[in-house]
Amino acid sequence: MVQASRPMVLGNLPRSVLGEGPIWLPESNTLYWVDILGDRVHSYRLIDGHVGTINIGPYPSCVMPNEDGNLVVTVKDRVLLVNPHNGSVLRVLATVNEPPSNRFNDCKCDPEGRLVAGTMDMNEKNPTGSVYVVDPGFGLRKIMGSVTISNGIAWSQDGSSMYYIDSPTRRVTVLRYNRREGVVEGVIKHIDLSSYPGVPDGMTIDSEGYLWIALYGGGKVLRVNPVDGEVTGQVEVPAQYTTSCTFGGSSLTTLFITTATDRSRQTTGPDGYVFSVEAGVRGTMVSKCRF
Ligand code: BGC
Ligand code: CA
């Protein structure tokens, strides 16, 4: 059982309506995250507390680094390459053709630098969403269909398994992933989390191969062994809508957790802020996109 400390609200940062998708960039000591319903991409440089905010239009749902220091950002139905300093759009990398009530949601770069990004029904009811791969130089491919709220994505260290969450199923699906081709080759198993409160949302993976999964509505992050589904740790967060997490800090042992408000914007508690906690285990770094 990994012993984590108590999560604390991080710095003096903006509150998000729907804070999501934290990523850590070690070269600049900076945490990035999005506020999907506040239309903002935020950053926080840990060494000096510098906060940056860029606005690139409605529904920025996920941000990932590329190899040149720019950001790949998914917005409603597009994947953009963005200048992190001023938010200007350098290139439209892909556009999806989806119902108007859909939008992009979580994304991640696979170990080969492709972007894998899912979509969701904004009414959170119908399985009209999909998961896409954007290959550098080759455009867009759909790798999964019939998902309702495409959410957490992570890979095993060797890239042979992809972990995937469609939130209303309340489970994590372990998929066989062909890293050379960037395709999913079948379901290995499902890990059922329906006995826990809320629904699984964003996730990351630590250096021991365990998943850290935020429970939206459950106010916690679970540490789960994907081999046998055992829950080996829990971080209780004093905010109900925990959305996602990532490892960072100088030794990669700090877990940053994003949260959302209940969307009324009338909240008085710490929900909508980013929390940090010493996880007691080292994380892994996100792969960069090769765009
Ligand atoms: C989505 C939210 C959704 C939540 C729980 C998030 O990733 O952006 O709209 O309510 O997951 O499923
Ligand atoms: Ca999410």
Side-chain angles (χ1 to χ4, degrees):
M1 180 69 80
V2 159
Q3 209 49 56
S5 64
R6 245 165 47 91
M8 308 285 284
V9 172
L10 184 68
N12 198 6
L13 301 180
R15 163 179 266 151
S16 295
V17 182
L18 178 52
E20 266 277 4
I23 49 155
W24 172 253
L25 301 193
E27 56 276 25
S28 56
N29 249 276
T30 303
L31 182 77
Y32 278 89
W33 70 101
V34 294
D35 179 356
I36 304 178
L37 297 180
D39 300 346
R40 300 279 189 278
V41 177
H42 296 298
S43 62
Y44 177 57
R45 197 160 59 211
L46 230 66
I47 353 177
D48 59 1
H50 177 263
V51 179
T53 293
I54 54 177
N55 181 343
I56 44 167
Y59 304 116
S61 68
C62 180
V63 55
M64 291 302 291
N66 86 342
E67 287 183 334
D68 315 325
N70 292 314
L71 299 174
V72 176
V73 185
T74 52
V75 293
K76 187 172 183 302
D77 58 354
R78 284 175 310 155
V79 182
L80 306 175
L81 190 63
V82 170
N83 176 329
H85 305 294
N86 59 18
S88 65
V89 176
L90 303 169
R91 204 143 51 95
V92 177
L93 297 170
T95 303
V96 291
N97 188 7
E98 296 240 332
S101 53
N102 278 17
R103 65 163 168 84
F104 266 118
N105 202 28
D106 288 32
C107 74
K108 234 8 104 70
C109 301
D110 84 355
E112 300 294 331
R114 308 173 185 96
L115 184 78
V116 176
T119 59
M120 61 174 276
D121 169 23
M122 287 194 272
N123 301 315
E124 307 196 351
K125 282 198 185 70
N126 300 314
T128 53
S130 296
V131 180
Y132 298 92
V133 171
V134 188
D135 284 293
F138 299 102
L140 182 84
R141 290 183 283 125
K142 189 194 273 200
I143 57 163
M144 276 191 261
S146 304
V147 301
T148 306
I149 306 176
S150 187
N151 248 319
I153 301 170
W155 284 269
S156 59
Q157 207 105 81
D158 66 359
S160 67
S161 295
M162 175 172 146
Y163 306 112
Y164 177 72
I165 292 168
D166 178 7
S167 290
T169 65
R170 301 181 78 186
R171 61 193 193 187
V172 181
T173 300
V174 184
L175 299 154
R176 191 166 298 110
Y177 191 70
N178 180 331
R179 165 181 185 163
R180 223 163 42 88
E181 310 280 332
V183 292
V184 159
E185 292 182 332
V187 173
I188 298 173
K189 66 166 155 188
H190 298 290
I191 300 168
D192 180 33
L193 296 174
S194 61
S195 60
Y196 290 88
V199 295
D201 191 338
M203 67 179 155
T204 190
I205 185 160
D206 70 28
S207 57
E208 297 175 0
Y210 287 64
L211 299 170
W212 293 70
I213 303 164
L215 296 179
Y216 182 89
K220 62 174 88 192
V221 174
L222 301 180
R223 182 179 192 244
V224 178
N225 180 348
V227 174
D228 58 9
E230 193 194 344
V231 174
T232 65
Q234 299 195 25
V235 178
E236 303 272 348
V237 181
Q240 196 182 347
Y241 297 97
T242 34
T243 53
S244 190
C245 55
T246 199
F247 285 94
S250 52
S251 52
L252 216 62
T253 54
T254 307
L255 188 72
F256 296 107
I257 303 166
T258 48
T259 68
T261 65
D262 64 5
R263 302 187 194 183
S264 67
R265 301 181 194 223
Q266 283 166 354
T267 176
T268 52
D271 45 326
Y273 288 111
V274 179
F275 290 78
S276 76
V277 68
E278 276 315 303
V281 61
R282 257 178 85 84
T284 58
M285 246 127 59
V286 291
S287 305
K288 292 189 174 166
C289 286
R290 298 215 174 113
F291 292 110

